[in-house]
Every structure is written in C-alpha cells, then in structure tokens.
Amino acid sequence: QAYSGTPPEEKEKIVWVRFENADLNDTSRNMEFHEIHSTGNEPPLLLLIGYSDGMQVWSIPISGEAQELFSVRHGPVRAARILPAPQISAQKCDNFAEKRPLLGVCKSIGSSGTSPPYCCVDLYSLRTGEMVKSIQFKTPIYDLHCNKRILVVVLQEKIAAFDSCTFTKKFFVTSCYPCPGPNMNPIALGSRWLAYAENKLIRCHQSRGGACGDNIQSYTATVISAAKTIKTGLTMVGKVVTQLTGTLPSGASEEEILAHSNLRRSPLVPGIVTIIDTDTVAEGQVLLSEDSDSDGIVAHFPAHEKPICCMAFNPSGMLLVTSDTLGHDFHVFQILTHPWSSSQSAVHHLYTLHRGETEAKVQDISFSHDCRWVVVSTLRGTSHVFPINPYGGQPCVRTHMSPRVVNRMSRFQKSAGLEEIEQELSSKQGGRCSPVPGLSSSPSGSPLHGKLNSQDTYNNFTNNNPGNPRLLPLPSLTVVLPLAQIKQPMTLGTITKRTGPYLFGAGCFSIKAPCKSKPAPQISPSKSVGGEFCVAAVFGASRSWFANNSGLKREKDQSKQFVVESLYIISCYGSLVEHVLEPRPLSTAPKISDDTPLEMGTCPRASWTLVRTPQWNELQPPFNANHPLLLAADAVQYYQYLLAGLVPPGSPGPITRHESYDSLASDHSGQEDEEWLSQVEIVTHTGPHRRLWMGPQFQFKTIHPSGQTTVISSSSSVLQSHGPSDTPQPLLDFDTDDLDLNSLRIQPVRSEPVSMPGSPRPAAERRGGSTVIDASS
C-alpha cells in the first residue's frame, strides 16, 4: 500500500518471516561487539523473508538504515537459515572454512531436480555463490534449525542432526509426536540442548517435576466449553440424520470411525517433552525406552495434556517455554540437570502464562536478552508480552522497573528472614498458603497434579533417589497475564513518511500516534487461508531515534533510557514496526511499593517497509569481501581459531587484533600470568546496604546500673560516684595517671562502637585509644 495517495504498488506474497541469529549479530564471538557497553555498539537485526518465489535477507543496524543483504527468485522456499561459524578445536577442523558463510535452503525444486519437492537441503556459499553440499531425504522437510555445533533438519515425526563442520549425520530421532500445525514437528534448539515432543512417557527416565496442572476454569472458559459441547452434539446428530437419508457418502463416516479407532488403539501420549544434550548423546538413533540408558538425556517430563505446538529456549538455555495446540496457557519450565541420569533432574514449573480462553496456535516465541520478558505470537497476528523472572516469583515493580536484573530476594527480605517465615506458614497450612484449597492457584487440587504426585513416589522408590538438593523446595507456580497485546494492522494508515534521506531500498517512517481505530478490511495476497498471519517478533535496542532526529546524531546514553528493550514485529505485509514498551506501576494501586503489580503502555515509534516488488532487482552471490555477512564470518572464524589455540589461515583482513587476543593465542607463562591473575578481582565485596543488627530479629534494651558504680568517660576527666543510698556525691577532679584502676569498680553505660567496613580507621583510634574497664563489687 502507498501512503502518499498514489495507486497501490504490486507486492510479492510473503509466506514466512523470521529473525535470525548468525555471525552478524553474535555478541559472544564477534570482536566488534566485545566492547558493547563502552562504545555503545549494538548488534544489528537480521531478518529473513520467504516469498512464494524466492527469499530475501535484511539487516537493520543500530543506525536504523535498513540494508538488503541477499535477494533471489528461485521458486518457493519452505525454510532457510544462515549457518553460524562452527565451533572448532585442535582435533576438529571446519571443512568448509573457505566457503563460509553458508546459507541452508529447503526449496520446492532441489539441486538434483528429480527428488520430490521440499525433500533436500542445499547449502550455498555466499562467498563464492556455489552449492557446497546437498542433503537428500525421502520425506518432506518442514523446518531447519542450527547452532554452532549442529544443523537440525525437521521432518514429519523425525529429526536428523548433522555436524556443523563436516555435515555428516550425527544422530536422529524417530519418536516425535505428530502435531497438526502450524509446526508439524515442534522443536527448540538452544546453544547445546535440543528439546522435542516425545510420543510416549517412559517412567524410568522421567524427571522430577514437570507441569503442575491447569488452574480452575473461569466463567468464560466454562461457557465456551459448554458451547463447544453443544456444537459437537448437534454436529453428530446432523451427521446421523444425513447418513440415514443418504445425502452423506458412507465412505466419509467410515474413514472418520477408522481414524477414531486408530487413535484409541494408539499408545501415543501427547504433551511429553524430551531434552537431549547434543554433545554427549550417542551417534545414531536416539531411542528412549525402558531398556535404554539415559546417556545424553537431560530431562524427560510431561509439559501439557494436549499436543505441543511450539517450544523455545531462553538465551541461557535454562528456561523452556512450551505451548499446546489450544493456546490458552503457555508453561515456563526451569531445567536443572543431574550428572547421573535424567530421572534425577528437576523440572520446575515456574509460570503459567495465560493468554485467553479462545483457541489460537502459537507460531513464534521470543525472549528478551535479560530473560525478564517473553513475547508469544499466534497465527491470529497478535503478540502477547508477558513479564517473568528467571528464578520465578510474581513480577512486580522491584523486579521489572529496574534496567538490570535484581536478585530473587531484596536485602530487607534476606536480613528480616521473611523467606523462612513464609516456608513455616506454608508447611503449617499445607500447599502454598491457600486459604481455600479448591480455588487456589496451587495445582494441588488438579487431577494432573495428583498424577505427578504418584509419579514422584514412583521415582523415589523405584529409582532409589538418594536425595537431590535440586529438587526441593519447589518454587510456587505463578499465573501471569499479558501486560500488552499488540496486533499488526493490515495497513499502516497512521504512518507518515518522514522527510530526509531515503534508505537502502526500505522506507523508514516515523509513527506520529498509535493506531487506535480498526482499519477497514482489505483483501491482501499475503493473507493465507483461514485468516492466519505469519508474524515474528524480537527484542532489540531502540532505532526510532533515526526517524525522529533530523540531525541524525545519536546521543551517547540514549539506548539506556528505557527499562525494556524495544519490540520489533514483522508481519506478512512486509512492515517492520518498532514498539516502545513502558512498564509502570498499576495505576489503580492505592500505594506504590516494591510488590506493586505492573501495567504496560505500548507505542509504535518507527516502521520499515521491507516487502519486495516484482520490479526489485536480485542480489545474489558471489559477494565482495566488504559484504557485512562475509566480514562477520571472517571475524568469528578468526576468533574461533584464537580460542582453539590455532594460527588463523591467511591474513585477518580488516580485523583488528587486540592485545587480549594475543594472550589467548600465545604460550606465555610465568610472570605475565601472575600479574594478570593478581588483577582479576580488586574489590572482594562491599559493605552491606543494611546491617544485620538493623533487622527485626534484634531488640535493644537499656541497662540500668545497680549498686555502687563508677563511670569513667573517655571524653572528660570527671569521676562521678554513686553510693548505695543513691545520694549524689561531689565531683572530684583528679589525674588519671595517679588512679589505681584495679581498685575501682567501673561499669560502662554503653559499649564503644565497633569498627565498620568502609570506615577510615577504628573507633578506638578516633577517640584517642581510651580503654573502658568493667569491675563488679
């Protein structure tokens, strides 16, 4: 659509969109981002767009100038990935180092031309433009996943993993549970772990914990469930009537009956998740059975009662978010492994993210970099923003109004011992401090939790559980509602084109006001059957300053003024919109404290139109040496050689070699290492913000002197004596040098203050080193 009143331009149909993690935005291995906090340099957004004819790659750096990196038209593309540089060592070399970066593509017509559609993965070199590898399959491919260790090819009910250095088959899984879609075989690939939906539950491998069960249904859910039941009953009555009258073919009903009978006989169990370690798992088939060992199996647990639709790991790989086919609730699990077996691992159900009561299929899950925010996008085109904590607990002002991640307990809670009091109350009341067991958020009354209790007993007695400290106490399950629900409009009617330089093939627009009115329904070629919209979201630093600042000068600390990173959402209409998220305390709260709930305001700030037109020129490899993807691949490969202690082949080119990298590649030892180790940590700790004696456990009382006492004050040379009759005695002036202190009975009114951390010198030194002697009669 055009925004200046001109006739609308013809645009190509977008089939899928995806934000990619590759060498270009790898902050851990790309030298350019190692000084990220001091220089203000931020990694760019890398965006892949799949069309009905070909695909496109965009880069949006921190400057906001969108740059096209790759564009080709070679038929429909089902999945594509830019493969990161693999992890190498002295014993493991990269066979395709001179060809990288590589692009893995699954398209309708493979390299051979004779294979069925979408049955092969072709790996193209973006440096030379040639195809370096082709992997053939007998069944269609549905998705591709990759990290620096493996390349994962997702088939229907199967998973095949290949080594990133040689692209030889490493392991494969054939026991995946079939999902109706949109992800036919949902998996989650982290930096090392791979999670997939298992088709059965093996009790001997089952981990402790898992899903705690669903909560009590709300009134809306009850009404919707009753309406569906009535609809199903009426549909069955209608089918029976039509079959008796002969208007419905008998074959259709027989097929449905046969399908239902097969489902009844099938031993498949939905909602089971298995996590494997891609480094330690054995080569060949990964088959989980009662007779197999648990080598390489990290966890095996029930996550939902319905089939799993989508999964995603957080950046650290310790949290896993899962969604079922209904899409009412999303579960957040914390994975705590055990070196012995998966049955000793603990899976803590931290959160249930409640989306709503209507059905929706999830297509994308994304975490913020600090793992305090999760955005879940459905096929309805809506992105739901949830606040979470990596350690669990209720999100509040203290945890989410700070630019940094805070500890699970504040300093006051630690010193006051509130956690111990809460544990005592919960142990006395039973459960999780619920006054009404049936209506609590605790899953103790749900049927699934009863099953899990019996499974825990099974694990205790059958597996001879020696007592894993990771298992107890289990954190309380927290139900979280979305703070924001963002839906991309079909037309950006409130977006006005900014004055200034035009970008590299992409128009950048500044949004003056959020779109409040519902746009008129329009027929778009990007809209798929059934009203489904492909949407992808990612968190990143704000780039809206480019659209709003005519001087094009970025302030040094402008990226740090927001508590939450901006949310970027790309829709099937080719418009990338930056949304600014502003969490704030709940406006209806009578008093704002650390435990006050949150609310969120959202505002779209900038938009980039990235959809391709038929007149768009293609941008195909081979690329020049100064191409951003090639420069990033060279930088990461150079860093990988230094980490492995190898000499990088050839010249590093434009890459600057820092002094710290010389120390990694050199074999210096002795004095240099000792000097470096001595500077590792300068300050071991700082004084506590709140002293221990300031907690409520301590009480201070006044000590009244009894009997005849003599007090000597260090601030004066005055002696005051009280007799047994408490009659005041005259003050005597004397020289303390002539006084026999051993013959006096001295008792201080108060003790001298102790030297505290951070004080310049002890209190005794400041007061002249006086001594107080206590004697009793």
Side-chain angles (χ1 to χ4, degrees):
Q1 303 294 331
Y3 309 114
S4 59
T6 57
E9 299 179 358
E10 184 182 0
K11 299 179 180 179
E12 297 187 21
K13 180 181 178 180
I14 296 179
V15 181
W16 54 266
V17 290
R18 168 180 286 166
F19 286 99
E20 184 68 299
N21 293 321
D23 297 336
L24 186 62
N25 49 12
D26 189 350
T27 57
S28 61
R29 300 191 297 169
N30 198 332
M31 302 179 192
E32 185 179 356
F33 308 117
H34 279 189
E35 302 294 334
I36 182 172
H37 297 290
S38 60
T39 61
N41 196 7
E42 296 281 345
L45 300 179
L46 192 58
L47 179 63
L48 274 63
I49 302 178
Y51 296 93
S52 57
D53 185 12
M55 61 169 295
Q56 197 178 23
V57 179
W58 287 94
S59 172
I60 299 92
I62 192 63
S63 62
E65 300 180 1
Q67 182 179 4
E68 184 184 24
L69 302 181
F70 179 81
S71 179
V72 69
R73 295 183 178 92
H74 50 36
V77 176
R78 175 168 289 182
R81 287 283 189 178
I82 299 178
L83 275 62
Q87 185 176 7
I88 61 175
S89 62
Q91 296 80 18
K92 187 177 182 180
C93 299
D94 183 12
N95 296 348
F96 300 90
E98 299 178 354
K99 306 293 183 181
R100 295 188 185 272
L102 300 180
L103 176 68
V105 180
C106 173
K107 51 186 179 180
S108 59
I109 303 177
S111 57
S112 60
T114 58
S115 60
Y118 306 112
C119 287
C120 69
V121 179
D122 296 332
L123 303 179
Y124 292 93
S125 171
L126 298 181
R127 188 180 299 272
T128 62
E130 59 180 335
M131 188 186 68
V132 298
K133 183 74 173 181
S134 180
I135 306 175
Q136 304 289 332
F137 294 91
K138 297 181 181 180
T139 56
I141 300 170
Y142 289 100
D143 203 356
L144 298 175
H145 295 264
C146 58
N147 58 14
K148 58 185 179 181
R149 291 181 172 88
I150 58 174
L151 168 66
V152 180
V153 181
V154 181
L155 311 170
Q156 186 174 7
E157 303 183 22
K158 297 180 182 179
I159 300 173
F162 299 84
D163 186 80
S164 294
C165 292
T166 60
F167 295 109
T168 57
K169 182 176 289 188
K170 191 173 182 179
F171 63 88
F172 60 96
V173 181
T174 59
S175 58
C176 301
Y177 189 91
C179 180
N183 299 325
M184 301 300 294
N185 189 2
I187 72 167
L189 181 62
S191 59
R192 180 166 173 171
W193 292 350
L194 171 66
Y196 65 93
E198 188 78 42
N199 58 11
K200 56 187 176 300
L201 179 64
I202 309 299
R203 293 297 182 88
C204 62
H205 296 289
Q206 181 182 348
S207 304
R208 298 293 303 275
C212 290
D214 299 328
N215 297 315
I216 304 300
Q217 284 188 344
S218 64
Y219 177 78
T220 306
T222 305
V223 172
I224 294 177
S225 178
K228 291 180 179 179
T229 304
I230 296 175
K231 179 182 177 181
T232 304
L234 294 177
T235 304
M236 294 179 61
V237 171
K239 288 184 178 181
V240 172
V241 173
T242 51
Q243 289 178 12
L244 292 177
T245 56
T247 56
L248 184 67
S250 59
S253 60
E254 290 176 359
E255 291 178 359
E256 292 181 359
I257 295 174
L258 182 61
H260 284 292
S261 63
N262 290 336
L263 287 177
R264 292 193 191 100
R265 299 173 184 174
S266 176
L268 303 184
V269 179
I272 309 300
V273 174
T274 300
I275 303 177
I276 60 177
D277 189 347
T278 58
D279 276 4
T280 61
V281 69
E283 296 185 358
Q285 184 177 3
V286 179
L287 182 61
L288 205 63
S289 64
E290 296 181 356
D291 300 331
S292 62
D293 53 9
S294 60
D295 292 341
I297 308 299
V298 175
H300 177 70
F301 60 96
H304 294 272
E305 293 182 340
K306 299 294 182 180
I308 294 176
C309 178
C310 188
M311 292 185 291
F313 280 110
N314 71 328
S316 66
M318 299 300 295
L319 297 182
L320 178 68
V321 178
T322 61
S323 171
D324 59 5
T325 53
L326 296 180
H328 296 169
D329 299 312
F330 318 128
H331 294 171
V332 180
F333 299 99
Q334 184 183 24
I335 314 299
L336 299 178
T337 62
H338 194 276
W340 185 3
S341 65
S342 61
S343 61
Q344 302 300 323
S345 300
V347 180
H348 293 179
H349 188 181
L350 298 182
Y351 293 97
T352 293
L353 311 179
H354 184 67
R355 183 195 63 87
E357 308 298 348
T358 57
E359 293 187 11
K361 295 181 179 179
V362 176
Q363 61 176 331
D364 182 73
I365 301 175
S366 179
F367 282 85
S368 63
H369 293 89
D370 57 7
C371 300
R372 290 190 296 175
W373 301 91
V374 178
V375 56
V376 182
S377 303
T378 64
L379 283 180
R380 297 174 180 263
T382 306
S383 299
H384 307 263
V385 182
F386 296 91
I388 65 169
N389 291 314
Y391 41 75
Q394 187 69 37
C396 57
V397 170
R398 188 183 73 88
T399 59
H400 285 74
M401 291 297 293
S402 171
R404 294 181 177 88
V405 179
V406 299
N407 293 329
R408 184 175 64 90
M409 297 182 62
S410 64
R411 291 170 177 171
F412 171 76
Q413 291 173 333
K414 286 182 179 180
S415 62
L418 298 182
E419 185 181 22
E420 299 177 358
I421 298 176
E422 183 179 357
Q423 290 180 0
E424 291 180 0
L425 291 177
S426 61
S427 61
K428 292 178 181 179
Q429 295 179 4
R432 292 173 180 168
C433 301
S434 172
V436 184
L439 299 179
S440 66
S441 61
S442 171
S444 58
S446 63
L448 182 57
H449 190 265
K451 298 178 184 178
L452 293 178
N453 285 337
S454 62
Q455 292 165 7
D456 290 346
T457 306
Y458 177 87
N459 283 337
N460 280 331
F461 291 98
T462 306
N463 297 335
N464 296 323
N465 189 355
N468 186 355
R470 296 176 174 86
L471 299 183
L472 295 176
L474 290 176
S476 300
L477 173 64
T478 306
V479 180
V480 178
L481 300 178
L483 294 185
Q485 295 176 331
I486 304 173
K487 188 166 186 177
Q488 292 288 74
M490 297 177 62
T491 58
L492 301 177
T494 58
I495 295 181
T496 57
K497 186 176 179 180
R498 65 177 294 274
T499 58
Y502 199 67
L503 305 185
F504 298 100
C508 178
F509 303 89
S510 62
I511 299 181
K512 304 303 180 182
C515 182
K516 297 181 180 179
S517 60
K518 187 176 181 180
Q522 300 181 13
I523 300 177
S524 171
S526 302
K527 185 175 180 179
S528 58
V529 181
E532 298 177 351
F533 301 88
C534 59
V535 172
V538 72
F539 288 91
S542 176
R543 289 159 172 81
S544 59
W545 66 273
F546 179 81
N548 300 325
N549 190 355
S550 59
L552 302 181
K553 294 181 180 180
R554 181 179 177 86
E555 298 180 6
K556 187 175 182 180
D557 296 334
Q558 187 160 359
S559 61
K560 302 180 181 179
Q561 63 182 351
F562 298 108
V563 177
V564 189
E565 295 176 309
S566 296
L567 179 62
Y568 295 86
I569 303 178
I570 178 73
S571 66
C572 57
Y573 303 107
S575 59
L576 173 66
V577 181
E578 175 188 346
H579 297 268
V580 177
L581 308 179
E582 298 177 354
R584 54 179 179 264
L586 191 63
S587 57
T588 58
K591 182 181 179 181
I592 298 177
S593 63
D594 288 347
D595 299 331
T596 303
L598 298 170
E599 64 180 13
M600 174 174 284
T602 62
C603 178
R605 288 291 179 86
S607 173
W608 293 261
T609 303
L610 305 177
V611 63
R612 191 172 61 183
T613 60
Q615 294 78 22
W616 208 292
N617 294 328
E618 296 185 12
L619 184 60
Q620 298 189 24
F623 295 130
N624 297 327
N626 59 352
H627 192 273
L629 291 177
L630 271 63
L631 291 177
D634 293 339
V636 173
Q637 284 183 336
Y638 182 76
Y639 184 71
Q640 287 291 108
Y641 276 104
L642 294 179
L643 288 181
L646 304 176
V647 179
S651 173
I655 305 168
T656 304
R657 186 172 182 176
H658 299 276
E659 295 179 0
S660 59
Y661 304 143
D662 290 62
S663 63
L664 291 175
S666 61
D667 294 330
H668 300 296
S669 60
Q671 184 177 2
E672 292 186 3
D673 292 342
E674 293 178 359
E675 292 179 357
W676 182 80
L677 290 175
S678 65
Q679 303 297 326
V680 168
E681 193 166 347
I682 304 299
V683 181
T684 57
H685 73 284
T686 57
H689 179 72
R690 193 170 177 276
R691 303 297 176 182
L692 183 63
W693 50 267
M694 298 175 66
Q697 303 94 331
F698 292 86
Q699 297 181 357
F700 295 89
K701 298 181 180 180
T702 304
I703 300 178
H704 299 282
S706 60
Q708 184 178 1
T709 60
T710 304
V711 178
I712 294 180
S713 175
S714 61
S715 61
S716 64
S717 58
V718 178
L719 177 65
Q720 183 177 4
S721 177
H722 295 276
S725 60
D726 294 338
T727 57
Q729 301 293 332
L731 298 178
L732 301 178
D733 294 335
F734 64 95
D735 188 4
T736 55
D737 294 336
D738 300 334
L739 180 64
D740 186 7
L741 297 179
N742 295 326
S743 62
L744 295 178
R745 304 174 61 183
I746 304 171
Q747 180 177 354
V749 176
R750 60 180 177 84
S751 62
E752 290 291 342
V754 183
S755 176
M756 306 301 291
S759 60
R761 54 180 178 171
E765 296 181 6
R766 295 196 303 269
R767 294 180 175 268
S770 61
T771 304
V772 179
I773 301 176
D774 187 5
S776 58
S777 56

